[in-house]
Amino acid sequence: MSTTARPTRTLQALSASHGAILQALGRFHHLTARQVCRLFYASTSLTYAQTRLKQLADSGYCQRLFLPRPSQAGSAPSVYALATPGRNYLRALGNATLERYRPAEQREHGYLFLQHT
């Protein structure tokens, strides 16, 4: 019986901007790319913020949640939350984080909760 390991994309090392985003996620719990852009970058750097968040999500440091689309056209913004490796990273820096993390519970949050948050 052959088992194949699922390839994981990992960041070689977290940059200062990755760390700042993880700290913001630890503080605010849920953020969109636009909110991250507003916190750390110029208003014209939305694509850069999206790239940073995607890198963190692909490497497992945060979880990407998809909101339902409000209309038939276009796409809704993604909402990001800390995952276990992100929480462990913040704990290693001495930051207090919530003890409990369950990915399934994050996915259960409804549209109104995430829209409000």
Side-chain angles (χ1 to χ4, degrees), residues 17-33 35-36 39-40 52-54 56-57 60-65 78-83 86-87 90 95-98 106 117:
S17 63
H18 287 121
I21 292 170
L22 289 175
Q23 288 180 347
L25 284 170
R27 179 176 179 199
F28 297 111
H29 304 288
H30 296 92
L31 289 172
T32 64
Q35 290 169 325
V36 168
L39 282 170
F40 300 111
R52 290 293 185 188
L53 284 164
K54 184 176 183 328
L56 287 169
Y61 285 96
C62 66
Q63 181 181 10
R64 185 177 182 187
L65 307 168
S78 297
V79 177
Y80 295 85
L82 276 179
R87 291 178 193 283
L90 292 179
N95 296 341
T97 61
L98 296 175
Q106 294 294 323
T117 301

Side-chain angles (χ1 to χ4, degrees), residues 8-19 21-22 25 33 36 41 46-64 80-81 83 85-86:
T8 58
R9 296 178 219 160
T10 59
L11 295 171
Q12 295 301 321
L14 288 178
S15 67
S17 63
H18 287 121
I21 292 170
L22 289 175
L25 284 170
V36 168
Y41 308 113
L46 179 60
T47 304
Y48 183 76
Q50 290 169 331
T51 301
R52 290 293 185 188
L53 284 164
K54 184 176 183 328
Q55 290 168 343
L56 287 169
D58 287 347
S59 60
Y61 285 96
C62 66
Q63 181 181 10
R64 185 177 182 187
Y80 295 85

